[in-house]
Short mmCIF file of all heavy atoms in Angstrom, two decimals:
data_model
loop_
_atom_site.label_atom_id
_atom_site.label_comp_id
_atom_site.label_asym_id
_atom_site.label_seq_id
_atom_site.Cartn_x
_atom_site.Cartn_y
_atom_site.Cartn_z
N ASN A 1 -6.59 68.26 -15.79
CA ASN A 1 -6.86 67.88 -14.41
C ASN A 1 -5.62 67.96 -13.52
O ASN A 1 -5.67 68.47 -12.39
CB ASN A 1 -7.48 66.48 -14.33
CG ASN A 1 -6.64 65.42 -15.01
OD1 ASN A 1 -6.09 65.64 -16.09
ND2 ASN A 1 -6.54 64.25 -14.38
N ALA A 2 -4.48 67.46 -14.01
CA ALA A 2 -3.25 67.50 -13.22
C ALA A 2 -2.76 68.94 -13.03
O ALA A 2 -2.28 69.31 -11.95
CB ALA A 2 -2.16 66.65 -13.87
N VAL A 3 -2.90 69.75 -14.07
CA VAL A 3 -2.47 71.15 -13.99
C VAL A 3 -3.31 71.89 -12.95
O VAL A 3 -2.78 72.62 -12.11
CB VAL A 3 -2.61 71.85 -15.36
CG1 VAL A 3 -2.20 73.31 -15.26
CG2 VAL A 3 -1.78 71.14 -16.41
N TYR A 4 -4.62 71.69 -13.01
CA TYR A 4 -5.52 72.36 -12.07
C TYR A 4 -5.23 71.92 -10.64
O TYR A 4 -5.13 72.74 -9.72
CB TYR A 4 -6.97 72.06 -12.42
CG TYR A 4 -7.96 72.65 -11.45
CD1 TYR A 4 -8.29 74.00 -11.51
CD2 TYR A 4 -8.57 71.86 -10.48
CE1 TYR A 4 -9.19 74.55 -10.61
CE2 TYR A 4 -9.46 72.38 -9.58
CZ TYR A 4 -9.77 73.75 -9.64
OH TYR A 4 -10.65 74.29 -8.74
N GLY A 5 -5.12 70.60 -10.44
CA GLY A 5 -4.85 70.09 -9.09
C GLY A 5 -3.51 70.54 -8.56
O GLY A 5 -3.39 70.94 -7.39
N PHE A 6 -2.48 70.49 -9.40
CA PHE A 6 -1.14 70.92 -9.00
C PHE A 6 -1.16 72.40 -8.60
O PHE A 6 -0.61 72.77 -7.56
CB PHE A 6 -0.17 70.70 -10.16
CG PHE A 6 1.24 71.14 -9.90
CD1 PHE A 6 2.17 70.26 -9.37
CD2 PHE A 6 1.64 72.44 -10.20
CE1 PHE A 6 3.48 70.68 -9.14
CE2 PHE A 6 2.94 72.86 -9.97
CZ PHE A 6 3.86 71.97 -9.44
N THR A 7 -1.79 73.23 -9.41
CA THR A 7 -1.84 74.66 -9.13
C THR A 7 -2.58 74.94 -7.82
O THR A 7 -2.14 75.75 -7.00
CB THR A 7 -2.54 75.42 -10.28
OG1 THR A 7 -1.88 75.11 -11.50
CG2 THR A 7 -2.51 76.91 -10.05
N SER A 8 -3.69 74.26 -7.62
CA SER A 8 -4.47 74.44 -6.39
C SER A 8 -3.67 74.04 -5.16
O SER A 8 -3.68 74.74 -4.14
CB SER A 8 -5.77 73.61 -6.46
OG SER A 8 -6.57 74.02 -7.54
N MET A 9 -2.96 72.91 -5.26
CA MET A 9 -2.16 72.45 -4.13
C MET A 9 -1.02 73.41 -3.82
O MET A 9 -0.72 73.69 -2.65
CB MET A 9 -1.59 71.05 -4.43
CG MET A 9 -2.63 69.95 -4.51
SD MET A 9 -1.88 68.36 -4.97
CE MET A 9 -3.34 67.34 -5.15
N LEU A 10 -0.39 73.93 -4.85
CA LEU A 10 0.74 74.84 -4.66
C LEU A 10 0.27 76.15 -4.04
O LEU A 10 0.91 76.68 -3.12
CB LEU A 10 1.41 75.09 -6.01
CG LEU A 10 2.88 75.52 -6.00
CD1 LEU A 10 3.74 74.56 -5.19
CD2 LEU A 10 3.40 75.61 -7.43
N ARG A 11 -0.83 76.69 -4.52
CA ARG A 11 -1.36 77.93 -3.98
C ARG A 11 -1.80 77.76 -2.53
O ARG A 11 -1.60 78.64 -1.69
CB ARG A 11 -2.52 78.42 -4.84
CG ARG A 11 -2.09 78.99 -6.19
CD ARG A 11 -3.26 79.14 -7.13
NE ARG A 11 -4.24 80.11 -6.64
CZ ARG A 11 -4.27 81.40 -6.97
NH1 ARG A 11 -3.34 81.89 -7.78
NH2 ARG A 11 -5.21 82.19 -6.51
N LYS A 12 -2.38 76.61 -2.23
CA LYS A 12 -2.80 76.33 -0.85
C LYS A 12 -1.59 76.22 0.07
O LYS A 12 -1.62 76.69 1.23
CB LYS A 12 -3.63 75.05 -0.80
CG LYS A 12 -4.25 74.77 0.56
CD LYS A 12 -5.12 73.52 0.52
CE LYS A 12 -5.89 73.34 1.83
NZ LYS A 12 -5.03 73.22 3.02
N LEU A 13 -0.53 75.60 -0.42
CA LEU A 13 0.69 75.47 0.37
C LEU A 13 1.23 76.86 0.75
O LEU A 13 1.58 77.11 1.91
CB LEU A 13 1.75 74.70 -0.42
CG LEU A 13 3.13 74.58 0.24
CD1 LEU A 13 3.07 73.64 1.44
CD2 LEU A 13 4.17 74.08 -0.77
N ILE A 14 1.28 77.75 -0.22
CA ILE A 14 1.77 79.11 0.03
C ILE A 14 0.84 79.84 1.00
O ILE A 14 1.30 80.51 1.94
CB ILE A 14 1.90 79.89 -1.29
CG1 ILE A 14 2.95 79.24 -2.18
CG2 ILE A 14 2.25 81.35 -1.02
CD1 ILE A 14 3.03 79.83 -3.57
N ARG A 15 -0.45 79.71 0.78
CA ARG A 15 -1.42 80.40 1.62
C ARG A 15 -1.40 79.90 3.06
O ARG A 15 -1.46 80.70 4.01
CB ARG A 15 -2.82 80.22 1.02
CG ARG A 15 -3.91 80.98 1.75
CD ARG A 15 -5.23 80.89 1.00
NE ARG A 15 -5.72 79.52 0.88
CZ ARG A 15 -5.78 78.85 -0.26
NH1 ARG A 15 -5.35 79.40 -1.39
NH2 ARG A 15 -6.26 77.61 -0.29
N ASP A 16 -1.30 78.60 3.25
CA ASP A 16 -1.39 78.02 4.59
C ASP A 16 -0.09 78.10 5.38
O ASP A 16 -0.11 78.19 6.61
CB ASP A 16 -1.83 76.55 4.51
CG ASP A 16 -3.26 76.39 4.03
OD1 ASP A 16 -3.97 77.42 3.93
OD2 ASP A 16 -3.66 75.25 3.74
N HIS A 17 1.06 78.04 4.67
CA HIS A 17 2.34 77.92 5.38
C HIS A 17 3.26 79.13 5.20
O HIS A 17 4.23 79.26 5.95
CB HIS A 17 3.06 76.65 4.93
CG HIS A 17 2.28 75.40 5.24
ND1 HIS A 17 2.31 74.78 6.47
CD2 HIS A 17 1.44 74.66 4.47
CE1 HIS A 17 1.54 73.71 6.45
NE2 HIS A 17 0.99 73.61 5.24
N ALA A 18 3.01 79.97 4.23
CA ALA A 18 3.79 81.19 4.00
C ALA A 18 5.30 80.95 4.11
O ALA A 18 5.98 81.54 4.94
CB ALA A 18 3.37 82.27 5.00
N PRO A 19 5.85 80.06 3.28
CA PRO A 19 7.30 79.79 3.35
C PRO A 19 8.12 81.01 2.96
O PRO A 19 7.71 81.82 2.13
CB PRO A 19 7.49 78.66 2.34
CG PRO A 19 6.34 78.79 1.39
CD PRO A 19 5.20 79.29 2.20
N ASP A 20 9.29 81.13 3.59
CA ASP A 20 10.20 82.22 3.23
C ASP A 20 10.82 81.96 1.86
O ASP A 20 10.99 82.89 1.07
CB ASP A 20 11.29 82.36 4.29
CG ASP A 20 10.74 82.81 5.63
OD1 ASP A 20 10.12 83.89 5.67
OD2 ASP A 20 10.93 82.08 6.62
N TYR A 21 11.19 80.70 1.63
CA TYR A 21 11.75 80.29 0.34
C TYR A 21 11.03 79.05 -0.13
O TYR A 21 10.66 78.19 0.67
CB TYR A 21 13.25 80.02 0.46
CG TYR A 21 14.06 81.20 0.92
CD1 TYR A 21 14.51 81.29 2.23
CD2 TYR A 21 14.36 82.24 0.04
CE1 TYR A 21 15.23 82.39 2.66
CE2 TYR A 21 15.09 83.34 0.47
CZ TYR A 21 15.52 83.42 1.78
OH TYR A 21 16.22 84.51 2.20
N LEU A 22 10.83 78.97 -1.43
CA LEU A 22 10.06 77.87 -2.00
C LEU A 22 10.68 77.45 -3.33
O LEU A 22 10.92 78.28 -4.21
CB LEU A 22 8.61 78.31 -2.21
CG LEU A 22 7.66 77.35 -2.92
CD1 LEU A 22 7.48 76.07 -2.10
CD2 LEU A 22 6.30 78.02 -3.14
N VAL A 23 10.95 76.15 -3.47
CA VAL A 23 11.50 75.60 -4.69
C VAL A 23 10.71 74.34 -5.07
O VAL A 23 10.45 73.49 -4.22
CB VAL A 23 13.00 75.22 -4.54
CG1 VAL A 23 13.54 74.65 -5.84
CG2 VAL A 23 13.82 76.43 -4.12
N VAL A 24 10.32 74.24 -6.33
CA VAL A 24 9.67 73.04 -6.83
C VAL A 24 10.69 72.24 -7.63
O VAL A 24 11.36 72.79 -8.51
CB VAL A 24 8.46 73.39 -7.72
CG1 VAL A 24 7.81 72.11 -8.24
CG2 VAL A 24 7.44 74.21 -6.95
N VAL A 25 10.82 70.96 -7.30
CA VAL A 25 11.83 70.12 -7.93
C VAL A 25 11.15 69.04 -8.76
O VAL A 25 10.25 68.34 -8.29
CB VAL A 25 12.75 69.47 -6.87
CG1 VAL A 25 13.88 68.71 -7.55
CG2 VAL A 25 13.32 70.53 -5.92
N PHE A 26 11.59 68.91 -10.02
CA PHE A 26 10.98 67.94 -10.94
C PHE A 26 12.00 66.88 -11.36
O PHE A 26 13.21 67.11 -11.36
CB PHE A 26 10.50 68.64 -12.22
CG PHE A 26 9.39 69.62 -12.01
CD1 PHE A 26 9.64 70.99 -12.09
CD2 PHE A 26 8.10 69.20 -11.74
CE1 PHE A 26 8.62 71.92 -11.93
CE2 PHE A 26 7.07 70.12 -11.56
CZ PHE A 26 7.33 71.47 -11.66
N ASP A 27 11.48 65.70 -11.75
CA ASP A 27 12.29 64.72 -12.47
C ASP A 27 12.49 65.24 -13.88
O ASP A 27 11.52 65.68 -14.52
CB ASP A 27 11.59 63.36 -12.52
CG ASP A 27 11.52 62.68 -11.16
OD1 ASP A 27 12.44 62.88 -10.35
OD2 ASP A 27 10.53 61.97 -10.92
N LYS A 28 13.71 65.16 -14.39
CA LYS A 28 13.98 65.63 -15.74
C LYS A 28 13.54 64.62 -16.79
O LYS A 28 12.94 64.95 -17.80
CB LYS A 28 15.48 65.94 -15.89
CG LYS A 28 15.89 66.46 -17.27
CD LYS A 28 15.36 67.85 -17.52
CE LYS A 28 15.92 68.41 -18.81
NZ LYS A 28 15.37 69.76 -19.11
N SER A 29 13.87 63.35 -16.55
CA SER A 29 13.51 62.29 -17.49
C SER A 29 13.48 60.97 -16.74
O SER A 29 13.86 60.88 -15.57
CB SER A 29 14.52 62.23 -18.64
OG SER A 29 15.81 61.89 -18.15
N ALA A 30 13.03 59.93 -17.44
CA ALA A 30 12.92 58.61 -16.81
C ALA A 30 14.28 57.96 -16.61
O ALA A 30 14.48 57.13 -15.72
CB ALA A 30 12.03 57.70 -17.64
N GLN A 31 15.27 58.33 -17.43
CA GLN A 31 16.59 57.72 -17.36
C GLN A 31 17.50 58.53 -16.43
O GLN A 31 17.61 59.75 -16.56
CB GLN A 31 17.22 57.65 -18.75
CG GLN A 31 16.48 56.74 -19.72
CD GLN A 31 16.53 55.28 -19.29
OE1 GLN A 31 17.60 54.74 -18.99
NE2 GLN A 31 15.38 54.63 -19.27
N THR A 32 18.13 57.84 -15.47
CA THR A 32 19.06 58.49 -14.56
C THR A 32 20.36 57.70 -14.51
O THR A 32 20.49 56.66 -15.15
CB THR A 32 18.48 58.57 -13.13
OG1 THR A 32 18.45 57.25 -12.55
CG2 THR A 32 17.07 59.15 -13.15
N PHE A 33 21.31 58.20 -13.74
CA PHE A 33 22.59 57.49 -13.62
C PHE A 33 22.41 56.10 -13.03
O PHE A 33 23.26 55.22 -13.22
CB PHE A 33 23.57 58.31 -12.76
CG PHE A 33 23.22 58.37 -11.29
CD1 PHE A 33 23.73 57.43 -10.41
CD2 PHE A 33 22.42 59.38 -10.80
CE1 PHE A 33 23.42 57.48 -9.06
CE2 PHE A 33 22.12 59.46 -9.45
CZ PHE A 33 22.61 58.50 -8.57
N ARG A 34 21.30 55.87 -12.33
CA ARG A 34 21.04 54.54 -11.77
C ARG A 34 20.81 53.50 -12.86
O ARG A 34 21.13 52.33 -12.68
CB ARG A 34 19.84 54.61 -10.83
CG ARG A 34 20.08 55.47 -9.59
CD ARG A 34 18.84 55.56 -8.71
NE ARG A 34 19.12 56.34 -7.52
CZ ARG A 34 19.05 57.66 -7.48
NH1 ARG A 34 18.70 58.34 -8.55
NH2 ARG A 34 19.32 58.31 -6.36
N ASN A 35 20.26 53.93 -13.98
CA ASN A 35 20.05 53.00 -15.09
C ASN A 35 21.38 52.56 -15.70
O ASN A 35 21.49 51.46 -16.24
CB ASN A 35 19.18 53.65 -16.17
CG ASN A 35 17.79 53.97 -15.66
OD1 ASN A 35 17.49 55.12 -15.35
ND2 ASN A 35 16.93 52.97 -15.57
N GLU A 36 22.38 53.42 -15.61
CA GLU A 36 23.71 53.04 -16.09
C GLU A 36 24.33 51.99 -15.16
O GLU A 36 25.02 51.08 -15.61
CB GLU A 36 24.60 54.27 -16.17
CG GLU A 36 24.11 55.33 -17.16
CD GLU A 36 24.98 56.56 -17.14
OE1 GLU A 36 26.04 56.53 -16.47
OE2 GLU A 36 24.62 57.56 -17.77
N LEU A 37 24.05 52.13 -13.87
CA LEU A 37 24.59 51.17 -12.90
C LEU A 37 23.79 49.87 -12.88
O LEU A 37 24.35 48.79 -12.69
CB LEU A 37 24.57 51.81 -11.50
CG LEU A 37 25.40 53.08 -11.30
CD1 LEU A 37 25.16 53.66 -9.93
CD2 LEU A 37 26.88 52.77 -11.50
N TYR A 38 22.48 50.00 -13.09
CA TYR A 38 21.59 48.83 -13.04
C TYR A 38 20.48 49.03 -14.07
O TYR A 38 19.49 49.71 -13.82
CB TYR A 38 20.99 48.71 -11.63
CG TYR A 38 20.04 47.54 -11.45
CD1 TYR A 38 20.43 46.24 -11.74
CD2 TYR A 38 18.75 47.76 -10.98
CE1 TYR A 38 19.56 45.18 -11.58
CE2 TYR A 38 17.86 46.71 -10.80
CZ TYR A 38 18.27 45.42 -11.11
OH TYR A 38 17.41 44.36 -10.94
N PRO A 39 20.64 48.49 -15.27
CA PRO A 39 19.71 48.72 -16.38
C PRO A 39 18.25 48.40 -16.05
O PRO A 39 17.34 48.99 -16.65
CB PRO A 39 20.24 47.81 -17.48
CG PRO A 39 21.70 47.68 -17.18
CD PRO A 39 21.80 47.66 -15.68
#
């Protein structure tokens, strides 16, 4: 379900807005440098 919805949203974004450049940014993991500063 998430794969289908994500793909549909991404394709619609490209179709409706025709961006010149497009980058998808993900979280790598749940732990970040903030956890080192504040557990």
Side-chain angles (χ1 to χ4, degrees):
N1 56 318
V3 179
Y4 177 79
F6 178 91
T7 305
S8 299
M9 292 176 186
L10 204 53
R11 287 166 63 94
K12 187 177 188 301
L13 175 71
I14 296 173
R15 184 173 62 249
D16 292 351
H17 298 277
D20 294 302
Y21 300 103
L22 175 63
V23 180
V24 179
V25 186
F26 295 107
D27 291 328
K28 181 69 173 178
S29 63
Q31 295 295 310
T32 71
F33 70 91
R34 294 178 178 85
N35 297 101
E36 298 177 8
L37 299 173
Y38 179 56

